[in-house]
Amino acid sequence: MGSKGNIGQQTTESDMGSRGNPGPPEPQATDENQEGQCGYREDCQDVLKDLIGKTSNISWGDIFEQNRHSRCFCDDCSKSNVSTSGKYTPPFGWSRFALKSSKVPAKLAQAWDNYHVAYHACDPDKLSKIFTVGQLAKPGDSVVDPVDGIAKIGINSGHIKKTFWRRNPNLPKRYDEQGKEIPKNEKFDPNQIFMSPVPKYAQYYAKKHEKTIGDFAVQVMLQILIKPKTYTIGPETILAKERFDDLIDNDKLEWYTKGEVKGSLIIAAVLVKIKKKRSSSRGSLGSSTTFNSK
């Protein structure tokens, strides 16, 4: 969605609504009240171990942090201990698992202070491939694949695959030689990395990749830190009839980039959402989980 020339558009406070800079998460919960006491989070962790364990030979501790950025946003935890800066939209209903791989680049780039927060819908079966590459890639890119050696990224099913012209009110003003304002039109390009500052909108696409694991329907998103002025803002593309967010308009729901500025996009965390499909006792995933959790 956005021609190459539009990458680099500045995101201002007026662009984002009264939240201003979406900013980094500022969790106030401690490890103690997040780990070991929330059944929803434990179930989310079980299915995430299952997803990774079947295609990976590394341990849970190699991938995920056990710190204040790993936390649960389920209904119970949100009522008791979620406190954020108000600069971004928290992923309510999801459980967040912070990635160790993001720690060094985020610290060196001061991303927790200066980058914006967004959400990227993810096919659960592709998590291990993303971990192998270490970054998101756009359709058309070739990446290292843990199974096939080298793979070319395609456009996922359920997503727009063709280019077309459309109006984007977020584009900067331009004028012709006579001083007349040029219409804010752009050529929608599906060969980009898409994300949204609103988790509810990103979840629309996450649901398209929903996977059944044990007794749960599982959805996965990635929480992204992205450098300002390296992405374009565009309108939603699902013909929504209602607003997704009280402060961010529907014509600002999609952010997209070709990823040409290396280091401008950091995968900060994996977000998991589950829904029980049938009645059973907790721990039913154990028999199929091959992941080494030590």
Side-chain angles (χ1 to χ4, degrees), residues 204-217:
Y204 172 86
Y205 289 99
K207 189 169 178 59
K208 289 178 177 289
H209 304 298
E210 187 174 89
K211 178 181 176 66
T212 298
I213 298 180
D215 298 322
F216 298 103

Side-chain angles (χ1 to χ4, degrees), residues 25 28 49 99 106 155 171 216 219 242 255 282:
Q28 303 300 318
K49 286 180 177 179
L99 292 169
I155 298 176
L171 298 179
F216 298 103
Q219 297 175 27
E242 299 178 356
W255 296 356
R282 221 199 135 264

Side-chain angles (χ1 to χ4, degrees), residues 3-104:
S3 63
K4 183 176 179 182
N6 293 326
I7 298 300
Q9 175 186 341
Q10 183 175 4
T11 306
T12 65
E13 183 169 347
S14 60
D15 289 329
M16 293 308 306
S18 59
R19 283 199 187 95
N21 180 346
E26 296 180 3
Q28 303 300 318
T30 64
D31 293 340
E32 182 178 358
N33 61 24
Q34 282 289 297
E35 297 294 339
Q37 295 187 22
C38 175
Y40 180 81
R41 180 169 178 80
E42 290 178 11
D43 283 333
C44 286
Q45 182 167 305
D46 281 347
V47 298
L48 186 52
K49 286 180 177 179
D50 190 84
L51 279 171
I52 299 169
K54 291 180 177 179
T55 56
S56 176
N57 59 359
I58 58 178
S59 71
W60 177 269
D62 290 332
I63 303 175
F64 297 103
E65 292 275 15
Q66 297 290 353
N67 60 19
R68 67 191 184 95
H69 294 298
S70 288
R71 59 185 300 196
C72 190
F73 289 88
C74 72
D75 292 342
D76 291 338
C77 291
S78 297
K79 292 175 183 177
S80 62
N81 56 30
V82 168
S83 175
T84 69
S85 63
K87 295 180 180 178
Y88 79 113
T89 305
F92 292 121
W94 296 73
S95 195
R96 181 172 67 197
F97 300 87
L99 292 169
K100 282 187 173 181
S101 60
S102 69
K103 188 173 182 178
V104 172

Side-chain angles (χ1 to χ4, degrees), residues 174-201:
R174 296 179 300 160
Y175 300 89
D176 61 21
E177 294 179 354
Q178 286 73 41
K180 184 179 180 180
E181 185 175 352
I182 300 174
K184 294 184 177 182
N185 296 326
E186 67 175 354
K187 191 174 185 179
F188 176 92
D189 183 0
N191 297 307
Q192 299 193 73
I193 300 169
F194 292 88
M195 63 205 80
S196 176
V198 178
K200 185 178 178 181
Y201 182 76

Side-chain angles (χ1 to χ4, degrees), residues 40 49 105 114 124 142 156 164 169 196 218 231 242-243 258 262 288:
Y40 180 81
K49 286 180 177 179
N114 302 315
S142 294
N156 289 326
F164 61 90
S196 176
V218 180
Y231 63 88
E242 299 178 356
R243 283 185 68 122
K258 289 184 176 292
K262 304 307 178 185
S288 62

Side-chain angles (χ1 to χ4, degrees), residues 267-285:
I267 305 174
V270 176
L271 296 162
V272 179
K273 185 172 187 177
I274 60 174
K275 182 177 180 180
K276 186 167 287 189
K277 301 193 72 172
R278 56 182 181 272
S279 178
S280 70
S281 59
R282 221 199 135 264
S284 59
L285 290 168

Side-chain angles (χ1 to χ4, degrees), residues 150-171:
I150 296 178
K152 191 171 185 178
I153 302 297
I155 298 176
N156 289 326
S157 61
H159 294 256
I160 298 172
K161 297 185 177 183
K162 295 183 178 180
T163 61
F164 61 90
W165 285 94
R166 68 167 183 179
R167 180 178 180 275
N168 183 351
N170 303 289
L171 298 179

